[in-house]
């Protein structure tokens, strides 16, 4: 770990969450995985203050926690993600990307979740004042949220999200060993670990969208045209009721019922997915600068087709794409003949 990286991470945490949270984060950055008692001892803060600071870090997906039950005591260990801290500096890029792809309504929902951390859809409704809007606006809101979930700009929070991969694998391994009457041999232990890694890989590459439960129907009420300006933890979230109301009569006339998102689940911004979008945009810009608009258009089509199967930027090779699929997605006004 570079000294400059450590200093930058601490400065970012201080700017976003204040000096107390920075003090707790600094201990985890320097010392790594730590129990609550050692964090309190090193920061010299009160237990309540440390717990509140950890809650802030966990709320914004910066810290994770895991409970160890190997001893008579149940100790909870906390870890911090430098990668997620550094991502805070890309907030403007994320917001611009969401606005470009999801429009102003999607931006308002995404910004509320990004600013407040883990949020239920009911909490987002409260922040944006959707309850005071008409039925058409509520229907549009549900449609926007469902699209954000379906396109994986936001994702439902699971128990695995609050635990590091190492801790999760250790817990699964201990659970498998506890089922055995005698300690496993080296060969059996290797088989258990291989099976756990296969399960992890299968879950990681799963295309199942968690959070969308059913299709809902909402009674259409007269639309409101007034603008409502709400605030999300000090950050302005401007919501135009008319924008939520717009375009609903066509959906209603076609008897389309937008997908509903489970209100009982909490959601977070899916930064791995957004990083893929940002990287792809940089590649398209490179082709445009290096060659021409036609080359950039072809690269953009290829990347758009592969995006749904690309979970993170660590995926180096995409699936094969037939040329016919590329031709179908290229806009007709692109001058390919000049490429």
């Amino acid at each position: 770990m570079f000294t400059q990286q450590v200093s930058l991470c601490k400065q970012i945490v201080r700017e976003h969450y204040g000096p107390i949270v920075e003090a707790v984060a600094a201990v985890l950055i320097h010392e790594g995985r730590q129990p609550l008692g050692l964090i309190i001892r090193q920061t010299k803060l009160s237990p309540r203050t440390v717990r509140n600071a950890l809650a802030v870090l966990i709320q914004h997906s910066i810290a994770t926690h895991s409970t160890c039950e190997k001893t008579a005591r149940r100790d909870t260990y906390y870890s911090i993600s430098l990668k997620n801290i550094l991502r805070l500096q890309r907030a403007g890029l994320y917001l611009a990307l969401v606005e470009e792809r999801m429009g102003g309504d999607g931006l308002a929902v995404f910004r509320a979740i990004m600013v407040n951390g883990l949020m239920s859809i009911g909490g987002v409704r409260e922040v944006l004042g959707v309850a005071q809007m008409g039925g058409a606006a509520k229907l549009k809101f549900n449609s926007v949220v469902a699209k954000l979930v379906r396109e994986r700009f936001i994702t439902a929070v699971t128990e695995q999200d609050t635990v590091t991969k190492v801790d999760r694998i250790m817990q699964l391994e201990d659970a498998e060993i506890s089922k055995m009457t005698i300690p496993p041999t080296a060969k059996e232990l290797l088989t258990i670990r291989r099976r756990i890694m296969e399960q992890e890989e299968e879950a990681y590459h799963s295309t199942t969208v968690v959070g969308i439960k059913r299709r809902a129907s909402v009674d259409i009420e007269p639309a409101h045209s007034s603008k409502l300006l709400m605030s999300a933890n000090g950050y302005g979230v401007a919501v135009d009721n008319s924008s939520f109301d717009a375009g609903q009569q066509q959906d209603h006339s076609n008897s389309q019922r937008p997908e509903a998102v489970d209100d009982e689940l909490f959601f977070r911004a899916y930064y791995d997915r957004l990083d893929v979008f940002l990287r792809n945009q940089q590649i398209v810009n490179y082709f445009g600068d290096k060659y021409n608009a036609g080359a950039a258009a072809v690269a953009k089509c290829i990347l758009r087709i592969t995006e749904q199967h690309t979970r993170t930027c660590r995926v180096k090779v995409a699936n094969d794409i037939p040329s016919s699929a590329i031709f179908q997605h290229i806009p007709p006004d692109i001058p390919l003949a000049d490429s």
Side-chain angles (χ1 to χ4, degrees), residues 171-180 192 195-196 199:
Q171 292 175 358
L172 294 173
E173 184 178 319
D174 292 340
E176 290 290 332
I177 294 175
S178 64
K179 299 176 183 178
M180 307 177 68
I192 291 174
R195 184 168 61 249
I196 291 174
Q199 295 173 355

Side-chain angles (χ1 to χ4, degrees), residues 29-155:
I29 292 173
H30 286 288
E31 305 297 334
R33 188 170 178 263
Q34 293 287 309
L36 178 62
L38 289 180
I39 299 175
I40 294 173
R41 184 183 307 170
Q42 295 186 51
T43 58
K44 298 180 180 178
L45 299 172
S46 67
R48 181 178 180 179
T49 301
V50 172
R51 289 192 183 95
N52 290 339
L54 289 171
V56 170
L57 294 173
I58 294 172
Q59 173 73 14
H60 290 272
S61 303
I62 294 175
T64 56
H65 59 89
S66 176
T67 301
C68 180
E69 300 180 355
K70 289 187 176 182
T71 61
R73 295 178 52 188
R74 295 183 58 185
D75 294 327
T76 301
Y77 288 83
Y78 299 89
S79 305
I80 199 164
S81 172
L82 299 184
K83 179 175 66 175
N84 288 346
I85 294 176
L86 294 174
R87 279 173 168 164
L88 294 173
Q89 296 299 91
R90 303 177 192 167
L93 296 176
Y94 292 144
L95 293 175
L97 174 65
V98 174
E99 184 177 20
E100 176 187 351
R101 296 207 175 192
M102 294 294 170
D105 298 332
L107 173 64
V109 174
F110 179 85
R111 181 164 49 187
I113 295 177
M114 188 180 71
V115 169
N116 292 280
L118 311 182
M119 286 190 75
S120 65
I121 299 305
V124 177
R125 285 195 185 93
E126 183 178 351
V127 168
L128 299 182
V130 178
Q132 288 75 35
M133 300 180 187
K138 295 176 182 177
L139 192 63
K140 179 65 178 297
F141 172 83
N142 292 338
S143 177
V144 169
V145 172
K147 186 177 181 182
L148 285 170
V149 175
R150 189 171 57 253
E151 298 293 331
R152 298 193 177 187
F153 283 79
I154 60 176
T155 183

Side-chain angles (χ1 to χ4, degrees), residues 280-293:
N280 291 352
Q281 186 60 49
Q282 291 177 350
I283 295 174
V284 172
N285 293 340
Y286 169 79
F287 274 90
D289 296 339
K290 183 71 173 179
Y291 302 103
N292 49 44

